[in-house]
């Protein structure tokens, strides 16, 4: 195992086992870190800069997407010194519009694809879904893996599908959504992470947000360990995106603690770490205002797009 | 590893306020329900190992004070405590537990100031566990007949107890709670470097209204402890501390009818197999050896890792160690506090030198250390053999020796090949292997896929030079009882 060649056979046979109790204990330790004063303030700004502001609803309209894009680079115009969010995340049909709305900003446009959120479609459909988003200017593609095939043990299928989509992405970075809420065990989460990384994922991502539980600390921790092991073995850095379920600042800061202590400070930027969230930004803004002025405003003082 | 961009984001100081505890200038002995001055008039100073500042003065009890305390304990035993109904006895102990809980924040801060342990541990582990021991044994007080059916359990009389400096309040709780629950009275001595929480506990017990003489504290040095051990009217000695002192006590008690329990040193094996959940095992290695600065008798100080994964485990261990924060014990983010005393600090340094001289490879994590105080970086020794002194003797600090092994039989032999036998850890995903190995290890406590977990209901104690007798659980009642 010392010099294991990272190929699919080795990964399936040697993906490490995960002890859930131990993982939960470690995660509790992250949450016992006390983040105060300037580290809180710096951390909150970092959180803002790592958010993928997301709308993924059947009822999405151009109007909704436009308003969200405006929010992405005007988080709160009454506060100075705020970063933008990292990206907006939309359905493929909204990519062109979002791209246009964000001209002149450094905000990326991410698009879900591959028959999001279920992934239950033939490869040809998934490929054209992906190509459509890329052709419309998507900077990042958030694909879902085929959980059915994974759970039935067809790891080759899962691997090859990711590799094919990666090819279709061209220059767009590929985020691979494992939908960990459907994988049920941390052993599965680890194996799926290893397969996705091997198949060419630039990022691995916990969830679609459509399945509960979405992102949890134990799941994110397990995926970060896979990222770190890959880095040690190959020197290549893979990004991490927990999505869904992280809606308050305190929890987001503890995710940063986890990133710092599990993979290292090199991952503390939006090239390698993202939060997929829609309501997190406003809670962070509220906390930043509290840190600056000493008073909490009501939620009505923060725009809800 | 390539570039290291540490400290893009670091944690600001988050100190726990020390204002919650009012430390007095000096603390007296507690004998016969009264706080009294030592007969010699002597006090000794107690220092904060984190900044070497003086904290307070502690009464230095001598033979005369011990005699007074034992007499008071005997009188209380004869006239009150042994006459009281067991349910009433239980009520007192429950009361002590609740009052400790109410003052837990104060106790935690005092413990960290006095011993150098981190506030995270004193707050989350030492103090809650100490309270739980009182709760647990309070429950047994009126159920002794059910605990030992048909055996007619009876109390012994006066118990003399000597407490170590590594878990000052917790070890006191381990001894006081079962002694009182079984109907004995107590004369106890805290370690000279860490008397503070015992003094606060005496105040709590006083306030709880425990009858005078049932609980007595005589603080002091080794000679004070010797006076307790050698006092003719003590029925039972419970000692936790070094093997060397344990041997002296056992010799002193030979030929007397005093009962004895000894909880002594250890050099416990932590065994990691190649099918273990590796990242969690690494976490367990860290908890096993760096918990409480390694001042833990059951510390997993000998790591045995299967040879084919050794490189990987050591790489992960080094990376994990880099995120351990060494510093102010009162900071909520500190992982490793101050070494308890200058003396212990020097002992550890001596072992580091021995390890290097023996040819082992030393690694220390690249952490920042405060300029003042007894701090040291967590340390690994690699390429260690069974014959190395650092793999044989108890270092009692944040120092881990790493040995590799090839087969199950080999590691069982090596783990057992030690004069000690206090604890062990086994890491494997395979249940049958875990049961096979754990049942062959000669150690009092064996953890599987975890380490350093304690519970009042679980007995604790050692084999061989790690001592005898059990504390905790039903077993922990036995040393304080006699049977028909």
């Amino acid at each position: 195992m010392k010099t294991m060649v990272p190929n699919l056979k080795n990964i399936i046979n040697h993906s490490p086992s995960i002890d859930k109790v131990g993982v939960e204990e470690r995660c509790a330790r992250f949450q016992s870190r006390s983040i105060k004063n300037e580290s809180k303030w710096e951390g909150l700004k970092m959180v803002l800069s790592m958010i993928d502001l997301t709308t993924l609803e059947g009822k999405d309209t151009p109007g909704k997407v436009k308003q969200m894009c405006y929010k992405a680079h005007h988080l709160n115009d009454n506060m100075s010194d705020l970063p933008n969010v990292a990206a907006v995340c939309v359905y493929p049909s909204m990519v062109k519009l979002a791209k246009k709305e964000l001209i002149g900003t450094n905000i990326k446009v991410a698009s879900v694809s591959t028959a999001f959120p279920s992934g239950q479609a033939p490869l040809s459909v998934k490929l054209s879904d992906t190509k459509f988003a890329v052709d419309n200017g998507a900077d990042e593609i958030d694909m879902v893996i085929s959980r059915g095939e994974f759970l039935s043990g067809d790891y080759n299928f899962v691997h090859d599908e990711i590799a094919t989509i990666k090819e279709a992405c061209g220059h767009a970075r590929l985020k691979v959504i494992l939908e960990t809420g459907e994988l049920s065990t941390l052993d599965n989460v680890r194996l799926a992470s290893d397969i996705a990384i091997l198949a060419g994922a630039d990022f691995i991502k916990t969830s679609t947000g459509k399945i509960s539980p979405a992102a949890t600390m134990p799941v994110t921790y397990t995926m970060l360990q896979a990222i770190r092991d890959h880095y040690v073995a190959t020197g290549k850095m893979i990004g991490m995106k927990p999505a869904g379920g992280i809606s308050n600042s305190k929890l987001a800061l503890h995710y940063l603690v986890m990133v710092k202590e599990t993979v290292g400070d090199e991952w503390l930027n939006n090239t390698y770490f993202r939060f997929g969230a829609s309501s997190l930004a406003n809670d962070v803004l509220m906390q930043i205002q509290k840190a600056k002025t000493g008073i909490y405003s009501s939620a009505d003082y923060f725009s809800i797009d | 590893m390539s570039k290291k961009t540490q400290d893009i984001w670091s944690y600001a100081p988050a100190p726990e306020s020390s204002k919650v505890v009012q430390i007095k200038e000096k603390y007296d002995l507690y004998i016969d329900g009264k706080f009294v001055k030592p007969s010699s008039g002597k006090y000794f100073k107690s220092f904060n190992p984190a900044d070497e500042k003086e904290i307070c003065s502690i009464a230095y009890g001598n033979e005369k004070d011990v005699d007074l305390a034992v007499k008071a304990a005997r009188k209380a035993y004869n006239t009150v405590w042994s006459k009281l109904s067991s349910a009433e006895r239980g009520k007192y102990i429950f009361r002590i537990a609740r009052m400790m809980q109410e003052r837990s924040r104060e106790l935690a801060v005092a413990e960290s100031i006095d011993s150098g342990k981190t506030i995270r541990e004193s707050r989350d582990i030492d103090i809650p566990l100490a309270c739980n021991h009182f709760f647990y044994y309070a429950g047994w007080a009126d159920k002794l007949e059910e605990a030992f059916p048909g055996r007619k359990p009876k109390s012994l009389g006066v118990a003399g107890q000597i407490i170590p400096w590594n878990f000052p309040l917790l070890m006191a709780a381990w001894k006081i709670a079962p002694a009182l629950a079984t109907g004995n009275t107590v004369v106890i001595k805290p370690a000279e470097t860490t008397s503070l929480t015992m003094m606060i506990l005496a105040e709590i017990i006083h306030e709880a209204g425990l009858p005078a003489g049932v609980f007595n504290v005589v603080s002091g040095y080794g000679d004070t402890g010797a006076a307790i051990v050698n006092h003719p009217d003590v029925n039972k000695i419970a000692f936790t501390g070094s093997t060397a002192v344990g041997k002296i006590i056992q010799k002193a008690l030979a030929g007397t009818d005093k009962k004895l329990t000894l909880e002594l040193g250890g050099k416990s094996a932590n065994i990691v197999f190649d099918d273990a959940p590796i990242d969690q095992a690494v976490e367990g290695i860290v908890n096993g050896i760096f918990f409480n600065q390694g001042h833990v008798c059951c510390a997993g100080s000998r790591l045995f890792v299967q040879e084919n994964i050794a490189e990987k485990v050591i790489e992960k261990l080094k990376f994990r160690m880099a995120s351990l924060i060494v510093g102010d014990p009162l900071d909520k983010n500190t992982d490793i506090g101050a070494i308890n005393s200058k003396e212990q600090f020097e002992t550890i340094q001596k072992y580091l030198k021995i390890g290097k001289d023996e040819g082992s490879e030393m690694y220390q994590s690249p952490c920042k250390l405060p300029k003042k105080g007894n701090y040291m970086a967590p340390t690994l020794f690699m390429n260690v053999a069974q014959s190395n002194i650092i793999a044989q003797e108890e270092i009692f600090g944040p120092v881990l020796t790493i040995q590799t092994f090839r087969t199950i039989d080999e590691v069982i032999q090596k783990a057992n090949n030690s004069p000690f036998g206090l604890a062990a850890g086994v890491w494997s995903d395979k249940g049958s292997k875990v049961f096979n190995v754990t049942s062959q290890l000669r150690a009092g406590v064996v953890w599987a896929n975890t380490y350093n977990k304690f519970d009042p209901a679980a007995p604790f104690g050692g084999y061989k030079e790690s001592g005898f007798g059990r504390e905790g659980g039903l077993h922990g009642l036995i040393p304080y009882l006699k049977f028909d």
Side-chain angles (χ1 to χ4, degrees), chain B residues 174-225:
Chain B
W174 279 26
K175 290 186 169 37
I176 300 165
L180 295 182
T182 47
N184 299 282
T185 55
V186 168
V187 176
I188 195 166
K189 184 194 95 72
E192 63 271 17
T193 57
T194 55
S195 309
L196 183 56
T197 47
M198 182 77 83
M199 300 320 200
I200 299 175
L201 180 63
E203 293 173 1
I204 290 173
I205 288 178
H206 184 73
E207 213 180 305
L210 200 70
V214 173
F215 174 77
N216 305 275
V217 179
V218 186
S219 44
Y221 280 78
D223 56 332
T224 317

Side-chain angles (χ1 to χ4, degrees), chain B residues 182-397:
Chain B
T182 47
N184 299 282
T185 55
V186 168
V187 176
I188 195 166
K189 184 194 95 72
E192 63 271 17
T193 57
T194 55
S195 309
L196 183 56
T197 47
M198 182 77 83
M199 300 320 200
I200 299 175
L201 180 63
E203 293 173 1
I204 290 173
I205 288 178
H206 184 73
E207 213 180 305
L210 200 70
V214 173
F215 174 77
N216 305 275
V217 179
V218 186
S219 44
Y221 280 78
D223 56 332
T224 317
I228 296 176
V229 169
N230 295 320
H231 196 286
D233 202 27
V234 168
N235 303 95
K236 143 104 199 154
I237 295 293
F239 172 77
T240 296
S242 71
T243 296
V245 175
K247 285 180 180 174
I248 296 170
I249 292 175
Q250 194 169 6
K251 275 182 198 152
L253 294 196
T256 72
D257 62 352
K258 292 176 193 170
K259 276 187 108 174
L260 175 65
T261 44
L262 296 174
E263 204 270 85
L264 309 174
K267 191 75 181 176
S268 300
N270 203 1
I271 303 167
V272 181
F273 288 100
D274 63 1
D275 56 0
I278 290 184
D279 290 310
Q280 287 72 60
V282 167
E283 212 46 46
I285 295 166
V286 167
N287 288 337
I289 186 61
F290 302 130
F291 173 54
N292 199 36
Q293 296 71 249
H295 304 325
V296 184
C297 42
C298 56
S301 50
R302 283 189 297 156
L303 174 66
F304 288 97
V305 54
Q306 202 155 1
E307 202 165 307
N308 58 334
I309 55 161
E311 202 177 303
K312 199 176 194 176
V313 169
I314 291 168
E315 188 280 327
K316 282 173 178 282
L317 193 54
K318 287 179 177 174
F319 182 77
R320 177 66 180 94
M321 282 162 69
S323 63
L324 293 172
I325 300 168
V326 183
D328 179 9
L330 282 181
D331 192 301
K332 291 169 199 158
N333 289 324
T334 298
D335 296 306
I336 298 179
I339 301 298
N340 185 270
S341 64
K342 199 100 232 153
E343 196 188 353
Q344 185 57 24
F345 184 81
E346 274 151 23
T347 304
I348 298 167
Q349 301 307 316
K350 185 192 83 187
Y351 277 110
L352 297 189
K353 187 173 179 305
I354 292 173
K356 284 185 282 188
D357 290 348
E358 283 178 325
S360 296
E361 184 194 338
M362 187 173 90
Y363 173 85
Q364 294 191 301
S365 89
C367 56
K368 283 182 220 145
L369 298 179
K371 290 204 176 66
K372 225 178 154 208
N374 310 325
Y375 293 98
M376 69 171 283
T379 304
L380 303 180
F381 273 106
M382 289 154 291
N383 301 325
V384 176
Q386 195 77 355
S387 316
N388 288 155
I389 287 172
I390 52 165
Q392 295 171 346
E393 295 182 9
E394 185 177 41
I395 299 174
F396 224 60

Side-chain angles (χ1 to χ4, degrees), chain A residues 119-169:
Chain A
Q120 296 283 17
L123 182 59
S124 56
V125 173
K126 292 182 181 181
L127 272 173
S128 59
D129 196 17
T130 306
K131 278 183 186 142
F132 177 82
V134 174
D135 290 346
N136 277 278
D139 304 293
E140 299 169 356
I141 295 295
D142 290 28
M143 73 168 285
V144 290
I145 67 163
S146 296
R147 284 87 76 192
E149 273 75 7
F150 181 89
L151 291 171
S152 66
D154 196 348
Y155 305 124
N156 285 307
F157 180 94
V158 176
H159 171 272
D160 294 351
E161 190 177 61
I162 298 168
T164 311
I165 300 292
K166 166 73 181 170
E167 218 170 291
C169 283

Side-chain angles (χ1 to χ4, degrees), chain A residues 5 21 41-42 59 64 66 69 95 99 125 173 209 216 219 228 263 272:
Chain A
V5 186
V21 175
W41 161 239
E42 289 301 322
K59 61 179 191 282
K64 160 74 191 173
K66 267 190 199 171
C69 288
V95 168
K99 203 63 200 167
V125 173
R173 292 178 85 201
T216 64
V219 156
R228 160 128 177 103
V263 283
Y272 294 108

